[in-house]
Amino acid sequence: MSEVRVTVMETGYCVHPEHVVLRNWRPRRMQFPAMFTLLEHPTRGPILFDTGYGQGYLDAKRQLTGRIYNAVTPVTTSADRFAAPQLQARGIEPRDVELIVASHFHADHVAGLADFPRARFVYLRSAWQDVARLKGLRALGKGFLPNLIPKDFEERSDPIEEHAFTELAPEFQPFRRGADLLGDGSLMAVPLPGHAVGQIGLFVRRAGPTPLLLAADACWTSRSFRESIMPSNITRLLFDSTGEYRQTLGLLTELHQRRPELEILPSHCTEAATRHQLSL
Ligand SMILES: [Zn+2]
């Protein structure tokens, strides 16, 4: 069975008070890296799970909605930190990336899509349907900046349909249904609803004894799933469904308890960034 080489990278970070995320009263400010993951498959080449920030984000900041987004979520980033130049530094040209899996369409996950001119895009159809026709403040209300999306996005898309989900092997429980993206069991997409409509995560079969779960924004820190901590009420206003968020977090907590050796990687977790030796 194919095994994938995994490299986690970050494209910048934003800063928020800890209590917003971990529902305590500590005023300490925490950094939240915007990570993406390079998945090097033996026959399909380099694949990305999300892109973090990209050139489109700098362009979007010149417009009103981009400026508002950046005022609410002040981002520290720069062009040399984007996915495309980081991959080039590793000998991977943007045109070499033929597949990008988008966990959901918040700006900090898809701002680099336009930097990869040959990539096809995979995501859950309902995630795109939720935001595709939104513009201006209505889009911004869902954390979505339409200008980040390439003009030919839909022509280059292979959305995951409901019928693609089949029963997962027992090793992934309590997750029960997944979509085998490459047909070889190496990348299994699983629904992680609650944070955003149609959010997906990815079980990755990597070299070594245990797979990895890329958990996107199902939670923002590793403490959240270890200790089953919901974020603050303010933050929950941004969620699609608090009830589904709680259920998804419960699945992550149960997975961690059943298989503590299986790495769960939230996209914005500083602890995970440190584990992958990223300097913020
Ligand atoms: Zn998000």
Side-chain angles (χ1 to χ4, degrees):
M1 193 176 284
S2 303
E3 288 184 340
V4 174
R5 193 163 72 179
V6 175
T7 310
V8 181
M9 288 179 258
E10 58 85 25
T11 59
Y13 63 89
C14 60
V15 177
H16 288 294
E18 183 179 293
H19 67 82
V20 168
V21 172
L22 291 174
R23 213 183 173 194
N24 59 31
W25 296 105
R26 278 189 228 158
R28 187 163 72 102
R29 294 183 78 74
M30 285 176 75
Q31 285 186 347
F32 294 92
M35 292 188 272
F36 71 99
T37 307
L38 168 64
L39 304 163
E40 292 178 274
H41 187 275
T43 59
R44 298 293 298 271
I47 295 167
L48 301 184
F49 181 73
D50 290 335
T51 66
Y53 299 109
Q55 184 58 40
Y57 189 75
L58 298 185
D59 299 339
K61 265 173 59 179
R62 294 195 200 101
Q63 292 160 336
L64 180 63
T65 48
R67 284 205 299 278
I68 297 172
Y69 181 98
N70 198 62
V72 175
T73 313
V75 175
T76 300
T77 187
S78 55
D80 58 325
R81 296 175 88 158
F82 296 155
Q86 289 201 61
L87 295 184
Q88 277 179 311
R90 308 174 72 91
I92 299 170
E93 291 301 316
R95 64 178 178 279
D96 297 338
V97 175
E98 295 185 11
L99 192 64
I100 300 178
V101 180
S103 63
H104 63 301
F105 287 90
H106 286 167
D108 52 338
H109 293 255
V110 296
L113 292 184
D115 299 338
F116 297 92
R118 288 188 58 224
R120 294 196 66 80
F121 306 117
V122 171
Y123 48 83
L124 197 58
R125 184 179 285 284
S126 59
W128 178 238
Q129 283 173 335
D130 188 53
V131 297
R133 307 294 164 231
L134 299 181
K135 292 193 167 43
L137 293 178
R138 287 191 64 213
L140 186 63
K142 294 213 174 212
F144 177 60
L145 297 174
N147 289 344
L148 299 178
I149 303 300
K151 294 280 175 280
D152 56 354
F153 177 76
E154 291 190 344
E155 294 97 274
R156 289 163 60 194
S157 288
D158 301 306
I160 304 170
E161 309 288 350
E162 263 307 307
H163 62 74
F165 287 91
T166 55
E167 197 164 329
L168 281 170
E171 63 174 313
F172 299 112
Q173 282 186 8
F175 288 91
R176 299 194 180 281
R177 292 169 64 246
D180 185 351
L181 296 188
L182 303 182
D184 63 359
S186 61
L187 302 180
M188 304 295 293
V190 289
L192 299 175
H195 171 73
V197 172
Q199 179 177 245
I200 52 170
L202 206 56
F203 279 106
V204 180
R205 193 173 297 282
R206 59 178 169 179
T210 57
L212 160 77
L213 174 59
L214 299 172
D217 289 0
C219 59
W220 283 317
T221 72
S222 297
R223 267 191 71 198
S224 306
F225 68 75
R226 273 202 303 268
E227 300 172 31
S228 199
I229 306 172
M230 285 289 284
S232 73
N233 292 339
I234 293 270
T235 317
R236 290 190 223 174
L237 293 175
L238 303 171
F239 295 164
D240 169 53
S241 161
T242 300
E244 288 188 333
Y245 186 102
R246 193 188 303 277
Q247 280 177 6
T248 295
L249 182 62
L251 291 176
L252 294 181
T253 301
E254 188 179 341
L255 178 70
H256 174 66
Q257 287 168 349
R258 284 177 184 231
R259 300 191 67 186
E261 76 286 3
L262 187 151
E263 182 180 0
I264 299 173
L265 200 148
S267 291
H268 303 298
C269 175
T270 309
E271 183 186 318
T274 304
R275 191 164 60 236
H276 287 272
Q277 301 175 335
L278 306 182
S279 55
L280 301 180

